[in-house]
């Protein structure tokens, strides 16, 4: 596929949607360029992330995903694309896993929608266990984890805010994640 | 915690997940190298990254907000059922005003190929009609529309006691609170839902189609439901058509409706299924070139249109 040229490409429709379409086209062009220029690198990454023989197809999926998304300017387009590739693989993993779990839990085909009320109950119960596990790691790790994962504060800001070193923040985060991973293993244990 | 030979790998996976939560993280090559060291690394990473995604459900304040009274005592958590929350994408449509009183018959709206029209009904429901389409309304049935041919996106004001009904061919599509796109081809109906739920033929098959699903039914055949990206539903309205395994002939049909482009598919290319995104722009040749490149076909100019061959 050749590179798109010109910024004069416009859509039909109303003036308003014309503007939207043009913005989206320009953003899509930039991302497409990054995708094409880094094709081998992305394919390798997808393969390493578990795509196997499907890497080519998933590259196409990634392309579809990124073209469909309306993006503003991206500071580091390659990192943006790599993150999207990583998310794509994670989404695949999660949806495959969900159907697997659903099959085991309900003994029905994955196509059957489970009632949403039911899944909400499950997550509420598990949430309580998650909260207990976080609390059990100690007051400071629990607080650091919450600031990091729930409030989305960067590690160095948490360190400044709590008057501890960056490596303390790192260590506490590792501790909480490890405890949660252990909790999760209990659900996953055969 | 029991001693675990894989705990070292898990610790590394946790480190990557923590680092990647920084929006400025850029060491994707370093991460790829770590994955390349051992296939086990990818598995460990998936488990932790998925756990991390599930943690999005942790509420902001450290308050025991789980109300145990609401949890039926008899319900047991299935041991294996760690289920992450589903992400729902909502689609916001651009609003435009339009009237539909051309050609005398106010209740019959017909568009030519490439023409798009929006109709707002008295109840506030909105129908966005693609080109080469016919929608009819009935004065004595304010909560009814018929898609005779073509494609339309419906944004329905939901009323529990008075459902909105769309008819396409012999199919009846009943809104249960919704935005959805309907395509009526010669002998086939497709319904893609971006918000809410619709019921397909509630008095026959009665299939519920929820946001993020598309139902396809050839006339007289059993409907098939598959998952789609809700954000791409009704993409014709913004000139972005996204496909995932769609027959080339249907893509050509969409291009005619949406952009008034005359695209024919040669017999030997009819079985080609297309995956990719097409941007409809003023430079139509560009769109065709993309379609050809992405579908592995060749586009040849013929008259005012194009022919796709293998």
């Amino acid at each position: 596929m050749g590179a798109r040229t010109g910024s004069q490409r416009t859509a039909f429709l109303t003036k308003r949607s014309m503007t939207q379409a043009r913005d989206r086209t320009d953003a899509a062009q930039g991302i497409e360029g990054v995708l094409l220029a880094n094709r081998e690198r992305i394919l390798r990454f997808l393969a390493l992330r578990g795509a196997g023989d499907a890497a080519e197809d998933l590259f196409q999926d990634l392309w579809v995903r990124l073209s469909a998304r309306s993006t503003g300017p991206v500071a580091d387009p390659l990192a943006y694309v790599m993150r999207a590739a990583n998310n794509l693989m994670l989404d695949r993993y999660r949806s495959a896993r969900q159907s697997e779990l659903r099959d085991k839990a309900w003994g029905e085909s994955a196509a059957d929608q489970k009632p949403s009320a039911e899944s909400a109950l499950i997550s509420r119960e598990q949430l309580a266990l998650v909260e207990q596990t976080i609390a059990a790691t100690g007051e400071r790790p629990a607080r650091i984890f919450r600031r990091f994962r729930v409030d989305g504060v960067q590690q160095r800001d948490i360190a400044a805010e709590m008057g501890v070193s960056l490596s303390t923040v790192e260590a506490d985060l590792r501790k909480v994640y490890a405890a949660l991973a252990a909790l999760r293993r209990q659900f996953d244990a055969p | 915690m029991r001693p675990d030979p894989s705990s070292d790998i898990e610790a590394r996976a946790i480190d990557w997940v923590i680092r990647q939560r920084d929006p400025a993280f850029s060491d994707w090559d370093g991460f790829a190298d770590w994955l390349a060291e051992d296939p086990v690394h990818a598995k460990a990473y998936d488990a932790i990254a998925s756990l991390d995604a599930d943690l999005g459900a942790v509420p902001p304040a450290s308050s025991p907000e789980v109300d145990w009274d609401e949890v039926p005592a008899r319900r047991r958590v299935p041991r294996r059922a760690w289920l992450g929350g589903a992400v729902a994408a909502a689609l916001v449509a651009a609003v435009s005003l339009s009237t539909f009183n051309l050609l005398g018959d106010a209740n019959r709206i017909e568009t030519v190929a490439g023409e798009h029209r929006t109709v707002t009904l008295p109840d506030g429901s909105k129908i966005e009609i693609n080109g080469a389409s016919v929608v009819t309304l009935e004065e004595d049935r304010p909560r009814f529309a018929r898609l005779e041919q073509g494609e339309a996106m419906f944004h329905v004001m939901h009323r529990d006691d008075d459902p909105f009904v769309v008819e396409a061919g012999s199919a009846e599509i009943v809104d249960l609170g919704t935005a959805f796109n309907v395509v009526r081809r010669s002998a086939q109906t497709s319904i893609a839902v971006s918000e809410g739920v619709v019921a397909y033929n509630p008095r026959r098959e009665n299939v519920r189609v929820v946001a993020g699903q598309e139902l396809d039914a050839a006339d007289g055949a059993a409907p098939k439901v598959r998952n789609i990206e809700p954000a791409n539903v009704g993409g014709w309205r913004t000139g972005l058509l996204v496909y995932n395994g769609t027959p080339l002939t249907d893509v050509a049909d969409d291009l005619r409706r949406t952009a008034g482009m005359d695209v024919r598919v040669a017999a030997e290319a009819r079985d080609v299924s297309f995956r990719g995104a097409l941007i409809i722009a003023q430079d139509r040749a560009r769109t065709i070139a993309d379609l050809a490149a992405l579908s592995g076909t060749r586009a040849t100019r013929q008259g005012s249109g194009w022919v796709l061959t293998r």
Side-chain angles (χ1 to χ4, degrees):
Chain A
M1 194 190 63
R4 296 171 186 280
T5 51
S7 57
Q8 295 308 308
R9 307 177 68 214
T10 48
F12 43 95
L13 290 180
T14 62
K15 196 163 185 178
R16 175 171 177 172
S17 49
M18 212 160 89
T19 312
Q20 284 172 347
R22 191 190 297 132
D23 291 345
R24 173 141 46 169
T25 304
D26 286 347
Q29 278 172 12
I31 292 302
E32 278 169 30
V34 173
L35 281 165
L36 291 173
N38 295 279
R39 197 168 172 278
E40 288 311 314
R41 182 191 228 141
I42 296 164
L43 284 174
R44 171 177 182 253
F45 181 74
L46 290 171
L48 287 169
R49 280 290 275 107
D53 295 336
E56 291 274 1
D57 287 348
L58 289 167
F59 180 83
Q60 198 52 246
D61 284 357
L62 181 65
W63 196 81
V64 168
R65 243 190 206 206
L66 290 173
S67 330
R69 204 177 280 172
S70 54
T71 51
V74 177
D76 182 350
L78 179 59
Y80 173 80
V81 166
M82 295 303 281
R83 188 179 285 278
N86 196 46
N87 290 343
L88 174 70
M89 295 309 295
L90 183 60
D91 290 354
R92 271 172 60 86
Y93 169 82
R94 283 167 68 76
S95 72
R97 208 180 136 74
Q98 285 220 4
S99 349
E100 191 188 312
L101 292 172
R102 215 177 289 148
D103 286 349
K104 284 180 186 166
W106 314 102
E108 288 167 2
S109 84
D112 291 324
Q113 284 287 123
K114 65 182 171 359
S116 56
E118 197 132 33
S119 74
L121 287 177
I122 289 164
S123 69
R124 282 162 79 88
E125 288 182 340
Q126 288 177 339
L127 213 47
L129 290 172
V130 166
E131 300 243 26
Q132 282 166 25
T133 304
I134 296 169
T137 58
E139 196 190 322
R140 192 193 61 208
R143 194 166 145 205
I144 285 177
F145 175 82
R146 224 166 252 288
R147 293 296 281 151
F148 178 74
R149 181 60 185 86
V150 182
D151 303 332
V153 180
Q154 293 298 304
Q155 292 187 53
R156 74 181 66 80
D157 298 332
I158 298 172
E161 172 185 307
M162 296 191 56
V164 297
S165 72
L166 194 55
S167 49
T168 297
V169 173
E170 276 167 12
D172 281 353
L173 287 176
R174 287 187 188 124
K175 184 178 171 182
V176 179
Y177 271 99
L180 290 171
L183 169 70
R184 185 178 189 161
R185 265 200 299 278
Q186 291 173 24
F187 286 90
D188 292 346
Chain B
M1 215 189 310
R2 69 198 149 98
D4 185 343
S6 66
S7 66
D8 206 13
I9 292 170
E10 189 181 78
R12 295 289 304 281
I14 287 172
D15 280 354
W16 283 115
V17 168
I18 291 174
R19 288 182 62 197
Q20 287 166 0
R21 286 208 67 83
D22 184 343
F25 175 84
S26 62
D27 188 17
W28 293 102
D29 286 345
F31 176 52
D33 291 344
W34 178 71
L35 292 174
E37 283 170 25
D38 188 336
V40 173
H41 289 180
K43 289 199 175 68
Y45 173 81
D46 268 333
I48 297 299
S50 187
L51 165 71
D52 179 64
D54 284 343
L55 292 173
V58 174
S62 171
S63 57
E65 279 182 348
V66 176
D67 183 359
W68 291 97
D69 290 343
E70 281 182 32
V71 180
R74 266 165 298 152
R75 187 176 299 285
R76 302 264 311 131
V77 183
R79 271 176 66 80
R80 301 167 197 247
W82 181 291
L83 298 164
V87 180
L91 185 130
V92 181
V95 179
S96 70
L97 296 171
S98 179
T99 53
F100 48 96
N101 54 357
L102 333 175
L103 305 171
D105 186 354
N107 291 321
R108 182 186 164 87
I109 306 135
E110 186 162 359
T111 54
V112 300
E115 178 193 10
H116 296 185
R117 195 160 334 147
T118 300
V119 172
T120 304
L121 304 180
D123 68 354
S125 295
K126 192 160 58 95
I127 309 174
E128 293 174 85
I129 305 165
N130 200 350
S133 302
V134 178
V135 171
T136 53
L137 305 170
E138 289 183 21
E139 245 158 42
D140 51 353
R141 296 173 75 187
R143 301 278 288 167
F144 176 87
R146 178 174 176 80
L147 180 63
E148 293 195 8
Q149 67 171 59
E151 179 168 22
M153 177 93 191
F154 295 84
H155 304 267
V156 168
M157 300 299 281
H158 178 68
R159 285 190 206 143
D160 273 336
D161 55 346
D162 189 10
F164 196 97
V165 177
V166 176
E167 210 173 88
S170 63
E172 201 172 85
I173 303 149
V174 178
D175 138 71
L176 305 171
T178 316
F180 56 99
N181 189 69
V182 182
V183 185
R184 176 68 191 158
R185 304 184 195 280
S186 54
Q188 199 199 350
T189 303
S190 302
I191 303 149
V193 180
S194 65
E195 283 175 37
V197 186
V198 300
Y200 173 80
N201 282 338
R203 285 165 295 181
R204 284 189 280 159
E205 293 94 334
N206 192 22
V207 180
R208 283 167 68 87
V209 190
V210 303
Q213 289 186 331
E214 178 174 282
L215 177 145
D216 291 299
D219 288 359
K224 290 189 195 117
V225 176
R226 61 193 180 94
N227 292 330
I228 50 157
E229 171 57 55
N232 294 337
V233 171
W236 59 267
R237 296 169 301 148
T238 50
L240 185 81
L241 303 174
V242 179
Y243 297 98
N244 191 358
T246 305
L248 217 43
T249 45
D250 287 358
V251 177
D253 199 18
D254 289 350
L255 288 173
R256 184 178 59 87
R257 258 201 320 273
T258 306
M261 296 161 68
D262 175 16
V263 183
R264 265 158 295 165
V265 182
E268 79 272 18
R270 277 174 197 271
D271 291 332
V272 173
S273 86
F274 176 69
R275 284 152 67 88
L278 295 176
I279 297 165
I280 311 244
Q282 210 158 50
D283 182 3
R284 298 289 156 83
R286 194 65 253 168
T287 308
I288 287 292
D290 286 353
L291 173 60
L294 289 167
S295 62
T297 56
R298 211 150 39 101
T300 319
R301 189 89 214 194
Q302 197 175 90
S304 62
W306 292 267
V307 178
L308 294 173
T309 51
R310 277 204 104 157

